[in-house]
Structures are given as C-alpha cells and as structure tokens.
Amino acid sequence: MKVTLISIPVRDQEKALKFYTEKLGFIKKKDQPLGGGNRWLTLVSSEWKDGPELLLEPAPNHFEPCKVYQDALMEAGYPYTQFDVKNVDAEYKRLTNLDVEFSTKPTTMGTVKFAIFNDTCGNNIQLVEEL
C-alpha cells in the first residue's frame, strides 16, 4: 500500500493553482473538468515528479462540514498539512520575498525546525526541516 494522492481543501481552485505553482513551485499534473465549475486539479512537487499528487479539492464550497473544519483550523492557527523542505530558513526567506505571509517564523523544536504560512486559500501550511 502507498499514498498516491493527498487532498487539500481550497475555496478557489484557480487562485490555489496560481499560489501553489507560482509561489510554492509545484507543477500541474492533471486538470480535468468535473462539472459545475469544479476540476480534478492535481499538482506534484518539482523535486518529486513521480511522487504523491496534491489534489486542490473544492470541498469547502460544497460540503459544509469541510468548510467548518477548515475555518476552525485556520482560527486556531493549526496547519492543515505539512511539506518537508531541506532548509526552512531558506524557504522562509524565498517565500517572504514572494509576499507569502507567515504566522510562525522558523522555530526549532527538538529535532525539527518549522514555520507556518497562509496559503491564501483557507489553510495554514507548515514547512518542516528535520535537523
């Protein structure tokens, strides 16, 4: 068994596509219309093109419990998911230069360093570096 797809809820797929590709550097893999203005829209890491796909899921627009959960995580400041990086400080600098807003600057805790940013699509995302 292996993970091939991970979904992240977004309220605007086009805005999310732009943020995740232009700011974070992901690459669009699939983009198929589903009807009602929704798409099966997946991305992959530019560093791992054969790795798991990230689905930009429009669920908060159609499923109220998803929207409530997403709002609660945002309000509490909790990240929806995390992305591993080689160097949190370097990514923090690169992304702040692209006007990405961080709620938590690079912080060391035990054997990891992490930072948390707003993906502009309703989610906090945590960057993690194993030390």
Side-chain angles (χ1 to χ4, degrees):
M1 190 176 308
K2 62 182 178 179
V3 175
T4 59
L5 182 83
I6 301 161
S7 67
I8 187 163
V10 298
R11 300 194 182 180
D12 182 326
Q13 286 184 302
E14 193 59 38
K15 181 178 180 183
L17 176 62
K18 186 174 180 170
F19 181 86
Y20 278 80
T21 57
E22 294 178 9
K23 305 246 181 185
L24 300 185
F26 284 88
I27 299 168
K28 182 167 58 170
K29 183 161 185 174
K30 294 177 184 156
D31 189 354
Q32 301 167 348
L34 295 175
N38 299 307
R39 298 147 63 184
W40 185 262
L41 182 57
T42 69
L43 311 173
V44 292
S45 168
S46 61
E47 298 172 19
W48 192 12
K49 293 177 183 164
D50 293 327
E53 294 177 51
L54 180 65
L55 172 64
L56 301 178
E57 172 67 63
N61 298 331
H62 310 286
F63 186 59
E64 188 64 22
C66 183
K67 183 178 180 183
V68 170
Y69 179 65
Q70 186 185 39
D71 287 345
L73 286 177
M74 232 6 216
E75 186 175 317
Y78 285 9
Y80 185 85
T81 194
Q82 79 176 35
F83 299 139
D84 290 355
V85 296
K86 293 177 184 174
N87 185 317
V88 166
D89 291 318
E91 283 299 311
Y92 174 80
K93 183 177 180 180
R94 181 182 78 79
L95 293 172
T96 54
N97 286 338
L98 293 172
D99 298 320
V100 173
E101 293 182 22
F102 280 79
S103 59
T104 304
K105 294 180 180 181
T107 304
T108 301
M109 186 177 290
T111 60
V112 298
K113 185 180 278 191
F114 69 95
I116 300 172
F117 66 87
N118 181 328
D119 76 350
T120 73
C121 305
N123 306 291
N124 287 309
I125 305 294
Q126 181 170 268
L127 300 178
V128 175
E129 170 189 355
E130 291 187 35
L131 302 173

PDB file of all heavy atoms in Angstrom, residues 25-46:
ATOM      1  N   GLY A  25       6.046  26.473  -6.181  1.00  0.00           N
ATOM      2  CA  GLY A  25       6.850  25.745  -7.161  1.00  0.00           C
ATOM      3  C   GLY A  25       6.334  24.373  -7.555  1.00  0.00           C
ATOM      4  O   GLY A  25       7.046  23.599  -8.196  1.00  0.00           O
ATOM      5  N   PHE A  26       5.081  24.049  -7.181  1.00  0.00           N
ATOM      6  CA  PHE A  26       4.509  22.779  -7.614  1.00  0.00           C
ATOM      7  C   PHE A  26       4.222  22.844  -9.116  1.00  0.00           C
ATOM      8  O   PHE A  26       4.140  23.913  -9.705  1.00  0.00           O
ATOM      9  CB  PHE A  26       3.210  22.481  -6.854  1.00  0.00           C
ATOM     10  CG  PHE A  26       3.443  22.003  -5.446  1.00  0.00           C
ATOM     11  CD1 PHE A  26       3.568  22.905  -4.404  1.00  0.00           C
ATOM     12  CD2 PHE A  26       3.529  20.651  -5.156  1.00  0.00           C
ATOM     13  CE1 PHE A  26       3.779  22.485  -3.108  1.00  0.00           C
ATOM     14  CE2 PHE A  26       3.741  20.206  -3.863  1.00  0.00           C
ATOM     15  CZ  PHE A  26       3.861  21.124  -2.835  1.00  0.00           C
ATOM     16  N   ILE A  27       4.043  21.665  -9.727  1.00  0.00           N
ATOM     17  CA  ILE A  27       3.779  21.551 -11.160  1.00  0.00           C
ATOM     18  C   ILE A  27       2.398  20.919 -11.355  1.00  0.00           C
ATOM     19  O   ILE A  27       2.072  19.913 -10.721  1.00  0.00           O
ATOM     20  CB  ILE A  27       4.845  20.657 -11.833  1.00  0.00           C
ATOM     21  CG1 ILE A  27       6.231  21.270 -11.658  1.00  0.00           C
ATOM     22  CG2 ILE A  27       4.522  20.434 -13.305  1.00  0.00           C
ATOM     23  CD1 ILE A  27       7.355  20.327 -12.041  1.00  0.00           C
ATOM     24  N   LYS A  28       1.596  21.506 -12.248  1.00  0.00           N
ATOM     25  CA  LYS A  28       0.279  20.947 -12.550  1.00  0.00           C
ATOM     26  C   LYS A  28       0.446  19.599 -13.246  1.00  0.00           C
ATOM     27  O   LYS A  28       1.200  19.479 -14.208  1.00  0.00           O
ATOM     28  CB  LYS A  28      -0.532  21.908 -13.415  1.00  0.00           C
ATOM     29  CG  LYS A  28      -1.926  21.409 -13.719  1.00  0.00           C
ATOM     30  CD  LYS A  28      -2.858  22.449 -14.307  1.00  0.00           C
ATOM     31  CE  LYS A  28      -2.352  23.052 -15.572  1.00  0.00           C
ATOM     32  NZ  LYS A  28      -3.366  23.886 -16.250  1.00  0.00           N
ATOM     33  N   LYS A  29      -0.282  18.588 -12.752  1.00  0.00           N
ATOM     34  CA  LYS A  29      -0.220  17.261 -13.365  1.00  0.00           C
ATOM     35  C   LYS A  29      -1.519  16.923 -14.093  1.00  0.00           C
ATOM     36  O   LYS A  29      -1.486  16.499 -15.239  1.00  0.00           O
ATOM     37  CB  LYS A  29       0.089  16.195 -12.320  1.00  0.00           C
ATOM     38  CG  LYS A  29       0.240  14.815 -12.929  1.00  0.00           C
ATOM     39  CD  LYS A  29       0.976  13.870 -12.041  1.00  0.00           C
ATOM     40  CE  LYS A  29       1.189  12.546 -12.784  1.00  0.00           C
ATOM     41  NZ  LYS A  29       2.018  11.638 -12.028  1.00  0.00           N
ATOM     42  N   LYS A  30      -2.659  17.107 -13.420  1.00  0.00           N
ATOM     43  CA  LYS A  30      -3.951  16.801 -14.047  1.00  0.00           C
ATOM     44  C   LYS A  30      -4.884  17.988 -13.877  1.00  0.00           C
ATOM     45  O   LYS A  30      -4.875  18.651 -12.847  1.00  0.00           O
ATOM     46  CB  LYS A  30      -4.587  15.572 -13.409  1.00  0.00           C
ATOM     47  CG  LYS A  30      -3.816  14.302 -13.641  1.00  0.00           C
ATOM     48  CD  LYS A  30      -4.451  13.138 -12.926  1.00  0.00           C
ATOM     49  CE  LYS A  30      -3.575  11.889 -13.106  1.00  0.00           C
ATOM     50  NZ  LYS A  30      -3.800  10.920 -12.043  1.00  0.00           N
ATOM     51  N   ASP A  31      -5.686  18.219 -14.893  1.00  0.00           N
ATOM     52  CA  ASP A  31      -6.677  19.295 -14.840  1.00  0.00           C
ATOM     53  C   ASP A  31      -7.853  18.877 -15.724  1.00  0.00           C
ATOM     54  O   ASP A  31      -7.847  19.106 -16.924  1.00  0.00           O
ATOM     55  CB  ASP A  31      -6.065  20.607 -15.320  1.00  0.00           C
ATOM     56  CG  ASP A  31      -6.966  21.806 -15.077  1.00  0.00           C
ATOM     57  OD1 ASP A  31      -8.127  21.620 -14.644  1.00  0.00           O
ATOM     58  OD2 ASP A  31      -6.513  22.936 -15.324  1.00  0.00           O
ATOM     59  N   GLN A  32      -8.839  18.213 -15.096  1.00  0.00           N
ATOM     60  CA  GLN A  32      -9.984  17.698 -15.828  1.00  0.00           C
ATOM     61  C   GLN A  32     -11.267  18.299 -15.264  1.00  0.00           C
ATOM     62  O   GLN A  32     -11.471  18.300 -14.049  1.00  0.00           O
ATOM     63  CB  GLN A  32     -10.026  16.174 -15.714  1.00  0.00           C
ATOM     64  CG  GLN A  32      -8.778  15.528 -16.254  1.00  0.00           C
ATOM     65  CD  GLN A  32      -8.663  14.051 -15.869  1.00  0.00           C
ATOM     66  OE1 GLN A  32      -9.393  13.557 -15.032  1.00  0.00           O
ATOM     67  NE2 GLN A  32      -7.733  13.372 -16.496  1.00  0.00           N
ATOM     68  N   PRO A  33     -12.141  18.818 -16.120  1.00  0.00           N
ATOM     69  CA  PRO A  33     -13.408  19.380 -15.640  1.00  0.00           C
ATOM     70  C   PRO A  33     -14.299  18.298 -15.042  1.00  0.00           C
ATOM     71  O   PRO A  33     -14.360  17.176 -15.542  1.00  0.00           O
ATOM     72  CB  PRO A  33     -14.033  19.990 -16.886  1.00  0.00           C
ATOM     73  CG  PRO A  33     -13.322  19.409 -18.049  1.00  0.00           C
ATOM     74  CD  PRO A  33     -12.003  18.896 -17.569  1.00  0.00           C
ATOM     75  N   LEU A  34     -14.983  18.661 -13.955  1.00  0.00           N
ATOM     76  CA  LEU A  34     -15.901  17.738 -13.281  1.00  0.00           C
ATOM     77  C   LEU A  34     -17.340  18.209 -13.363  1.00  0.00           C
ATOM     78  O   LEU A  34     -18.234  17.539 -12.871  1.00  0.00           O
ATOM     79  CB  LEU A  34     -15.511  17.590 -11.805  1.00  0.00           C
ATOM     80  CG  LEU A  34     -14.167  16.951 -11.520  1.00  0.00           C
ATOM     81  CD1 LEU A  34     -13.883  16.993 -10.026  1.00  0.00           C
ATOM     82  CD2 LEU A  34     -14.135  15.524 -12.022  1.00  0.00           C
ATOM     83  N   GLY A  35     -17.565  19.380 -13.933  1.00  0.00           N
ATOM     84  CA  GLY A  35     -18.902  19.949 -13.979  1.00  0.00           C
ATOM     85  C   GLY A  35     -19.111  20.932 -12.843  1.00  0.00           C
ATOM     86  O   GLY A  35     -18.434  20.885 -11.821  1.00  0.00           O
ATOM     87  N   GLY A  36     -20.020  21.843 -13.048  1.00  0.00           N
ATOM     88  CA  GLY A  36     -20.317  22.830 -12.019  1.00  0.00           C
ATOM     89  C   GLY A  36     -19.163  23.766 -11.721  1.00  0.00           C
ATOM     90  O   GLY A  36     -19.093  24.336 -10.638  1.00  0.00           O
ATOM     91  N   GLY A  37     -18.240  23.902 -12.646  1.00  0.00           N
ATOM     92  CA  GLY A  37     -17.090  24.770 -12.445  1.00  0.00           C
ATOM     93  C   GLY A  37     -15.975  24.141 -11.621  1.00  0.00           C
ATOM     94  O   GLY A  37     -14.973  24.785 -11.331  1.00  0.00           O
ATOM     95  N   ASN A  38     -16.123  22.864 -11.249  1.00  0.00           N
ATOM     96  CA  ASN A  38     -15.106  22.163 -10.474  1.00  0.00           C
ATOM     97  C   ASN A  38     -14.185  21.382 -11.391  1.00  0.00           C
ATOM     98  O   ASN A  38     -14.567  21.006 -12.498  1.00  0.00           O
ATOM     99  CB  ASN A  38     -15.763  21.210  -9.475  1.00  0.00           C
ATOM    100  CG  ASN A  38     -16.642  21.951  -8.500  1.00  0.00           C
ATOM    101  OD1 ASN A  38     -16.213  22.898  -7.859  1.00  0.00           O
ATOM    102  ND2 ASN A  38     -17.894  21.535  -8.404  1.00  0.00           N
ATOM    103  N   ARG A  39     -12.967  21.137 -10.890  1.00  0.00           N
ATOM    104  CA  ARG A  39     -11.965  20.416 -11.674  1.00  0.00           C
ATOM    105  C   ARG A  39     -11.282  19.365 -10.806  1.00  0.00           C
ATOM    106  O   ARG A  39     -11.168  19.533  -9.596  1.00  0.00           O
ATOM    107  CB  ARG A  39     -10.903  21.395 -12.176  1.00  0.00           C
ATOM    108  CG  ARG A  39     -11.460  22.453 -13.078  1.00  0.00           C
ATOM    109  CD  ARG A  39     -10.769  23.776 -12.974  1.00  0.00           C
ATOM    110  NE  ARG A  39      -9.373  23.821 -13.349  1.00  0.00           N
ATOM    111  CZ  ARG A  39      -8.629  24.923 -13.232  1.00  0.00           C
ATOM    112  NH1 ARG A  39      -9.136  26.039 -12.772  1.00  0.00           N
ATOM    113  NH2 ARG A  39      -7.379  24.916 -13.578  1.00  0.00           N
ATOM    114  N   TRP A  40     -10.829  18.303 -11.465  1.00  0.00           N
ATOM    115  CA  TRP A  40      -9.912  17.359 -10.832  1.00  0.00           C
ATOM    116  C   TRP A  40      -8.544  17.935 -11.126  1.00  0.00           C
ATOM    117  O   TRP A  40      -7.996  17.775 -12.212  1.00  0.00           O
ATOM    118  CB  TRP A  40     -10.078  15.957 -11.425  1.00  0.00           C
ATOM    119  CG  TRP A  40      -9.225  14.948 -10.707  1.00  0.00           C
ATOM    120  CD1 TRP A  40      -8.005  14.488 -11.102  1.00  0.00           C
ATOM    121  CD2 TRP A  40      -9.523  14.304  -9.477  1.00  0.00           C
ATOM    122  NE1 TRP A  40      -7.523  13.591 -10.202  1.00  0.00           N
ATOM    123  CE2 TRP A  40      -8.445  13.458  -9.179  1.00  0.00           C
ATOM    124  CE3 TRP A  40     -10.586  14.365  -8.590  1.00  0.00           C
ATOM    125  CZ2 TRP A  40      -8.405  12.661  -8.039  1.00  0.00           C
ATOM    126  CZ3 TRP A  40     -10.552  13.576  -7.458  1.00  0.00           C
ATOM    127  CH2 TRP A  40      -9.466  12.738  -7.194  1.00  0.00           C
ATOM    128  N   LEU A  41      -8.028  18.686 -10.158  1.00  0.00           N
ATOM    129  CA  LEU A  41      -6.834  19.500 -10.355  1.00  0.00           C
ATOM    130  C   LEU A  41      -5.754  19.017  -9.403  1.00  0.00           C
ATOM    131  O   LEU A  41      -5.865  19.202  -8.186  1.00  0.00           O
ATOM    132  CB  LEU A  41      -7.187  20.965 -10.096  1.00  0.00           C
ATOM    133  CG  LEU A  41      -6.122  22.024 -10.283  1.00  0.00           C
ATOM    134  CD1 LEU A  41      -5.536  22.000 -11.691  1.00  0.00           C
ATOM    135  CD2 LEU A  41      -6.721  23.399  -9.988  1.00  0.00           C
ATOM    136  N   THR A  42      -4.722  18.372  -9.952  1.00  0.00           N
ATOM    137  CA  THR A  42      -3.654  17.857  -9.106  1.00  0.00           C
ATOM    138  C   THR A  42      -2.317  18.474  -9.480  1.00  0.00           C
ATOM    139  O   THR A  42      -2.081  18.882 -10.625  1.00  0.00           O
ATOM    140  CB  THR A  42      -3.532  16.322  -9.177  1.00  0.00           C
ATOM    141  OG1 THR A  42      -3.052  15.921 -10.463  1.00  0.00           O
ATOM    142  CG2 THR A  42      -4.863  15.649  -8.860  1.00  0.00           C
ATOM    143  N   LEU A  43      -1.449  18.512  -8.474  1.00  0.00           N
ATOM    144  CA  LEU A  43      -0.102  19.045  -8.617  1.00  0.00           C
ATOM    145  C   LEU A  43       0.885  18.020  -8.101  1.00  0.00           C
ATOM    146  O   LEU A  43       0.522  17.143  -7.309  1.00  0.00           O
ATOM    147  CB  LEU A  43       0.050  20.330  -7.789  1.00  0.00           C
ATOM    148  CG  LEU A  43      -1.026  21.395  -7.943  1.00  0.00           C
ATOM    149  CD1 LEU A  43      -0.802  22.509  -6.924  1.00  0.00           C
ATOM    150  CD2 LEU A  43      -1.041  21.943  -9.349  1.00  0.00           C
ATOM    151  N   VAL A  44       2.131  18.161  -8.520  1.00  0.00           N
ATOM    152  CA  VAL A  44       3.214  17.346  -7.975  1.00  0.00           C
ATOM    153  C   VAL A  44       4.380  18.260  -7.644  1.00  0.00           C
ATOM    154  O   VAL A  44       4.507  19.363  -8.187  1.00  0.00           O
ATOM    155  CB  VAL A  44       3.679  16.231  -8.946  1.00  0.00           C
ATOM    156  CG1 VAL A  44       2.610  15.168  -9.116  1.00  0.00           C
ATOM    157  CG2 VAL A  44       4.114  16.789 -10.275  1.00  0.00           C
ATOM    158  N   SER A  45       5.225  17.766  -6.770  1.00  0.00           N
ATOM    159  CA  SER A  45       6.424  18.503  -6.394  1.00  0.00           C
ATOM    160  C   SER A  45       7.385  18.555  -7.577  1.00  0.00           C
ATOM    161  O   SER A  45       7.589  17.550  -8.266  1.00  0.00           O
ATOM    162  CB  SER A  45       7.109  17.808  -5.214  1.00  0.00           C
ATOM    163  OG  SER A  45       8.399  18.323  -4.992  1.00  0.00           O
ATOM    164  N   SER A  46       7.987  19.705  -7.791  1.00  0.00           N
ATOM    165  CA  SER A  46       9.003  19.810  -8.852  1.00  0.00           C
ATOM    166  C   SER A  46      10.232  18.976  -8.496  1.00  0.00           C
ATOM    167  O   SER A  46      11.005  18.608  -9.363  1.00  0.00           O
ATOM    168  CB  SER A  46       9.399  21.271  -9.072  1.00  0.00           C
ATOM    169  OG  SER A  46       9.948  21.813  -7.885  1.00  0.00           O
TER     170      SER A  46
END
